[in-house]
Amino acid sequence: MTQSEPLLEVDDLAVEFRTDEGVVKAVDGASFTVDRGEIVGVVGESGSGKSVTAMSILGLVKSGRRAGGTIRFRGRDLGALPAKELRSIRGGEIAMIFQDPMTALNPVVTIGRQIVEALRLHDKKLAKGAARDRAIELLALVGMPDAAARFRQYPHEFSGGMRQRAMIAMAIANGPSLLIADEPTTALDVTIQAQVLDLLKVAQQETQAATLLITHDLGVVAELADRVVVMYAGRVVEQGDVITVFTEPRHPYTVGLLESLPRLDRDVDELHPIPGSPPSLLAPPPGCPFHPRCPLARDRCRTERPPLRAVGAAHHSACHFAEELAAVVPTEVTR
Amino acid sequence: MSDLRPSLDTPDVAAAEVAVAVDAAGGGPRSGRRSPRAMAARRFRRNRVAVGGAIFLVLILVVAVFAPLIANHSPYAVDLGAIRQPPSGDHWLGTDASGRDVFARLVYAARVSLLVGVAAALLAVVVGTLVGAVAGLFGGWIDTLLMRTADMMLSFPNIVVVIVLAGLLGPSIPILVIAIAAAEWPTAARLVRGVTLAVREREYLHAARVAGASRGWLLRKHIVPAAMGQIVVVGTISVAGAILSEAVLSFLGLGVQPPQASWGNMLNDAQSLTVIQSMPWLWLPPGLAIAATVLSVNFVGDGLRDAVDPRQSGRS
Ligand SMILES: Nc1ncnc2c1ncn2[C@@H]1O[C@H](COP(=O)(O)OP(=O)(O)O)[C@@H](O)[C@H]1O
Ligand code: SF4
Ligand SMILES: [Mg+2]
């Protein structure tokens, strides 16, 4: 394994779902990488394939079919691993934080026991007492006041923010090198969101784990992420480091997302939400999937699918006319 | 702020799960720190009929355990000079067709009848839980195969299944237990499969998979515990069914074999009209013992059901 090899390499991933109406191409040729220790934000409208991509990394797409592509983790092809090894990676080297900690926790098992079981699942020899001490330590680490007492409580006795803390404690329990957080703050009150984001930062520093932060909130990405991956209709349409993408977007969809952000220096009537809606994944439009909504679209876009290509240093875009966007005047994003 | 943004993700608010959490803890914000089990125990203790049934069962259990101290005769001592004697100061419940003390046989029979009932119910519940959980968790053809087998067993009259098995394998207590369990397990299997299917859709089960859990782990740590309350209820009610099955089979001569006494084979003597009409001490005590025990077990079972799942209160 060389130093330059990425931790996670998703290459041309395709996932399909057979439904009554036809085959849904939920992920259609998505490629991106995550390096050791970095935070990568994944943004895109609802239904753009973010969650399915995350689940594919864990090899757990419910009722879905991997239609193509490879996922390499530390150089190993996850698709080729035996089930047992994959299980030891799940919750071990790759851990996940869910959107809604209420439903992701078993309502009839105490928080402490759930953390203890997460530990013992990956270390069968771990004694009960040691697991208990470690669980309380983890709860304290994620800022749970009175961790020893909290250990014995049930999820419904926790506030939303505290539950998310417990989820994070559970996720980092086995020292993962990749954390996947799927909309970790979406289900929380605005006031709690900032706390949980700070905590994610702490968890990331504590474990040195790379983090795949899935969110629809560009503000969250701006605050936390090193790099950003923009998804649209199951594809990656742009990726690069956060500052570059936010200041010099090279895909019309990213530009649209940035322009629809509320900003302090702009009046509300100056907002430009992207007109139209995402395409049906049952019958995606030919060529560029964004063309029905794209202000720059022309004939070539309707027939020829734009590949993801380099448009700058470590900056990629899937637009035929990415270079034309250099003329657009971007400014920095405020939360 | 959020409505100004493009139509981005909305959270999957699973209100149902919140309801489950509250309900599991005893149904109400005041439930505090109590575990679901403690709450169920408290609900059970408030149910007088169920507590009465439980007390009676404990009594019967004490009698069974201390049978040698309670009986003033051996249950096997034949006295051909004193057959079918009515109750007296020496033979409190009279003697049977071989001159054996009916009271002694009654208390010793409690051992056998309870043992067979509990063992058969336990076996049925363990097998049923395993089958139901595997069927629900694996689905597909495994599910179809297992549940069609269960349906087949259920559509046979229990007693026929037991008679066929006892007839094929010969009467003995282990065969009796296996035969009764064979007739009873499908009920538990269906129930546990239902719970498994419901739990399988829960996000926390998915989260456990994401955390690296195998199917066996999901079964042990999430599915069986989730079904445990209802398993206990079904198991208890199965005990009643098993005690009855034991009685019927032993009455027919397919169960517990004399000279060993069971409540069922004690009724054997009551096959003639003269006995039924003029010698009630031969059939009334075992008959009442069976009826009272089965009733008590059912009271306890109903009480447990209400305690485990308060929403179903009032169902029979
Ligand atoms: N189990 C499934 N069956 C059918 N379609 C699915 C299933 N899961 C996801 N999809 C579809 O795949 C697409 C991508 O979903 P998802 O990855 O959840 O989007 P995101 O997380 O970006 O909002 C959506 O159009 C969704 O309807
Ligand atoms: S390829 Fe064409 S339609 Fe697609 S984003 Fe670029 S300009 Fe728009
Ligand atoms: Mg999602």
Side-chain angles (χ1 to χ4, degrees), chain A residues 17 19 26 45-52 62-63 281, chain B residues 9:
Chain A
F17 293 96
T19 66
E45 282 165 299
S46 180
S48 55
K50 306 182 298 291
S51 296
V52 172
K62 280 186 259 178
S63 71
L281 298 175
Chain B
D9 273 8

Side-chain angles (χ1 to χ4, degrees), chain A residues 44-47 50 55 58 60 62 87 90-91 94 96 98-100 102-108 117 120-122 124 149 152-154 156-157 183 186-187 216-217 257 260-262 268 271 335, chain B residues 1 4-14 17-18 20-22 24-25 28 31-37 201-215 217 221-222 225-226:
Chain A
E45 282 165 299
S46 180
K50 306 182 298 291
M55 279 305 137
L58 293 157
L60 283 173
K62 280 186 259 178
R87 278 205 300 274
R90 288 182 204 136
I94 305 179
M96 178 136 184
F98 286 86
Q99 171 175 316
D100 187 345
M102 187 65 229
T103 59
L105 292 165
N106 189 334
V108 295
E117 278 170 7
R120 284 160 60 94
L121 186 54
H122 289 273
K124 300 268 173 342
R152 288 190 305 271
Q153 293 187 339
Y154 290 87
H156 74 272
E157 298 173 67
E183 308 272 1
T186 306
H216 62 263
D217 191 337
L257 281 182
S260 65
L261 275 182
V268 171
L271 290 173
R335 264 277 267 171
Chain B
M1 211 170 129
L4 297 175
R5 296 187 183 173
S7 59
L8 295 172
D9 273 8
T10 46
D12 305 311
V13 178
E17 195 70 45
V18 177
V20 166
V22 172
S31 56
R33 302 281 308 272
R34 269 174 235 275
S35 72
R37 198 176 297 175
E201 297 310 313
R202 296 262 190 267
E203 176 98 347
Y204 66 76
L205 211 77
H206 182 59
R209 276 215 182 92
V210 165
S214 62
R215 279 184 172 131
W217 180 275
K221 301 288 179 176
H222 292 286

Side-chain angles (χ1 to χ4, degrees), chain A residues 251-253 288-291 294-298 301 306 318-322:
Chain A
H251 195 284
Y253 176 63
C288 175
F290 191 54
H291 82 245
C294 180
L296 299 184
R298 56 207 81 170
C301 307
C319 171
H320 292 309
F321 307 107

Side-chain angles (χ1 to χ4, degrees), chain B:
Chain B
M1 211 170 129
S2 57
D3 53 338
L4 297 175
R5 296 187 183 173
S7 59
L8 295 172
D9 273 8
T10 46
D12 305 311
V13 178
E17 195 70 45
V18 177
V20 166
V22 172
D23 188 68
R30 301 260 316 112
S31 56
R33 302 281 308 272
R34 269 174 235 275
S35 72
R37 198 176 297 175
M39 294 300 294
R42 212 175 66 168
R43 279 193 296 269
F44 183 85
R45 280 197 302 273
R46 279 201 295 249
N47 183 335
R48 282 207 205 140
V49 176
V51 170
I55 290 172
F56 180 78
L57 290 180
V58 169
L59 226 68
I60 293 279
L61 199 69
V62 169
V63 167
V65 169
F66 296 104
L69 303 179
I70 293 168
N72 57 345
H73 288 276
S74 155
Y76 306 114
V78 173
D79 180 359
L80 293 176
I83 62 168
R84 291 180 177 166
Q85 296 291 305
S88 63
D90 186 31
H91 296 291
W92 299 334
L93 289 176
T95 61
D96 68 5
S98 310
R100 293 175 297 211
D101 184 61
V102 172
F103 181 75
R105 290 186 71 71
L106 189 73
V107 295
Y108 274 86
R111 293 181 158 187
V112 177
S113 292
L114 288 184
L115 181 80
V116 169
V118 170
L122 212 63
L123 185 62
V125 156
V126 168
V127 170
T129 298
L130 222 64
V131 169
V134 167
L137 203 54
F138 284 75
W141 67 268
I142 297 181
D143 182 25
T144 309
L145 181 77
L146 291 174
M147 293 328 284
R148 285 303 81 78
T149 310
D151 286 346
M152 240 169 57
M153 298 300 273
L154 273 183
S155 63
F156 266 69
N158 273 11
I159 198 71
V160 174
V161 175
V162 178
I163 288 173
V164 168
L165 278 172
L168 280 177
L169 303 168
S172 76
I173 286 182
I175 292 297
L176 186 65
V177 167
I178 290 168
I180 295 172
E184 300 262 353
W185 68 265
T187 315
R190 281 187 151 188
L191 173 103
V192 172
R193 176 176 175 269
V195 174
T196 307
L197 290 182
V199 170
R200 205 171 76 163
E201 297 310 313
R202 296 262 190 267
E203 176 98 347
Y204 66 76
L205 211 77
H206 182 59
R209 276 215 182 92
V210 165
S214 62
R215 279 184 172 131
W217 180 275
L218 297 179
L219 222 109
R220 273 180 291 135
K221 301 288 179 176
H222 292 286
I223 291 170
V224 171
M228 197 40 98
Q230 296 181 57
I231 291 173
V232 168
V233 173
V234 164
T236 306
I237 289 168
S238 295
V239 171
I243 289 175
L244 275 178
S245 296
E246 181 279 319
V248 172
L249 287 170
S250 299
F251 175 76
L252 295 176
L254 290 165
V256 178
Q257 298 300 299
Q260 190 162 31
S262 85
W263 290 336
N265 72 14
M266 285 176 78
L267 287 170
N268 241 327
D269 289 343
Q271 285 185 16
S272 83
L273 208 57
T274 7
V275 169
I276 292 173
Q277 283 175 342
S278 58
M279 299 172 186
W281 66 86
L282 287 183
W283 56 269
L284 209 52
L288 283 177
I290 292 167
T293 306
V294 167
L295 206 63
S296 298
V297 171
N298 278 329
F299 284 160
V300 170
D302 284 347
L304 286 173
R305 169 158 49 211
D306 293 347
V308 164
D309 187 356
R311 282 167 305 182
Q312 291 193 357
S313 294
R315 281 203 206 164
S316 62

